[in-house]
Amino acid sequence: MSDLAGAPVEFDEFARSRQAYLRRSAYLLCGDWHLAEDLTQTALAKLYAVWRRVRMDSPDSYARKVLFRTFVDETRRRRWWERSSAHEYDVAAPAQDPDLRLMLLAALRQVPARGRAVLVLRFWHDQSVEETAAALGCSTGTVKSQTSRGLATLRRILGDTPLAAQLGSGDGMGRGAGIGYPKAGC
């Protein structure tokens, strides 16, 4: 019982230190800060329920896995019909290239949920194909095909923009694409 007694304090420290990181990842998935907050809270609640078992392994990895699976599950249930009508972008973009960043975020929201989850894990979180497959509970072949389809969808949506050219050259969606966020783990 003494092992369980320490869980809330350890969990609280973990949740406070990783909440902003998880919320930014959730925003990349859903494109809405309020929904991103809901996703983050749901993921942290699920993590808390199994904290004693997870804390010895990799809580960061497990939290990401729960976040991405929660997003895909919620999207399947069609519960993402709520849209904020006031402002689509309620946070100012970093000074790097705000127009390019906004264009990428808008295009990313048009990619189907599963493909969006794969793209965010692969290019935002720098996960390998195998790590992405493990996080989403699918095969490596599914990750590869979803990556290909997702990038093709982004290229189609972005048309003849400089960002589409970067996606075509294999630069991916990290800093090279100008979205203005630091790499995962920062």
Side-chain angles (χ1 to χ4, degrees):
M1 194 95 169
S2 63
D3 193 26
L4 186 59
V9 173
E10 291 172 2
F11 178 80
D12 187 51
E13 290 172 4
F14 173 81
R16 286 179 193 275
S17 69
R18 303 306 287 163
Q19 186 173 13
Y21 168 77
L22 291 170
R23 189 173 44 247
R24 282 191 305 268
S25 295
Y27 177 76
L28 286 173
L29 292 170
C30 67
D32 181 297
W33 285 110
H34 299 288
L35 295 175
E37 182 69 32
D38 291 344
L39 270 175
T40 302
Q41 292 303 318
T42 301
L44 288 173
K46 289 179 179 182
L47 180 62
Y48 181 79
V50 295
W51 180 252
R52 203 177 94 174
R53 180 176 43 119
V54 173
R55 70 176 179 195
M56 295 301 175
D57 296 333
S58 176
D60 277 332
S61 175
Y62 190 81
R64 270 195 314 271
K65 180 187 294 189
V66 170
L67 178 71
F68 282 86
R69 286 186 178 178
T70 300
F71 168 72
V72 170
D73 289 345
E74 292 294 322
T75 305
R76 271 191 208 130
R77 290 185 197 132
R78 306 270 185 219
R79 290 179 59 193
W80 292 102
W81 52 270
E82 296 178 21
R83 297 281 179 207
S84 85
S85 59
H87 299 285
E88 196 166 331
Y89 305 105
D90 57 352
V91 175
Q96 291 179 351
D97 191 349
D99 294 332
L100 206 54
R101 177 177 177 266
L102 293 174
M103 187 185 321
L104 176 62
L105 291 174
L108 189 60
R109 279 194 304 278
Q110 296 178 46
V111 175
R114 188 94 172 161
R116 193 177 333 151
V118 167
L119 291 177
V120 171
L121 276 170
R122 293 277 291 123
F123 299 109
W124 170 259
H125 290 285
D126 291 327
Q127 298 287 307
S128 69
V129 171
E130 293 77 17
E131 291 168 328
T132 302
L136 295 176
C138 62
S139 70
T140 57
T142 299
V143 170
K144 291 176 185 178
S145 66
Q146 290 290 330
T147 301
S148 176
R149 286 183 192 134
L151 288 174
T153 301
L154 284 177
R155 285 185 203 104
R156 181 181 45 77
I157 293 166
L158 295 170
D160 293 331
T161 64
L163 186 54
Q166 286 180 344
L167 291 172
S169 68
D171 288 343
M173 295 171 34
R175 287 180 195 230
I179 63 173
Y181 286 124
K183 291 282 189 184
C186 294

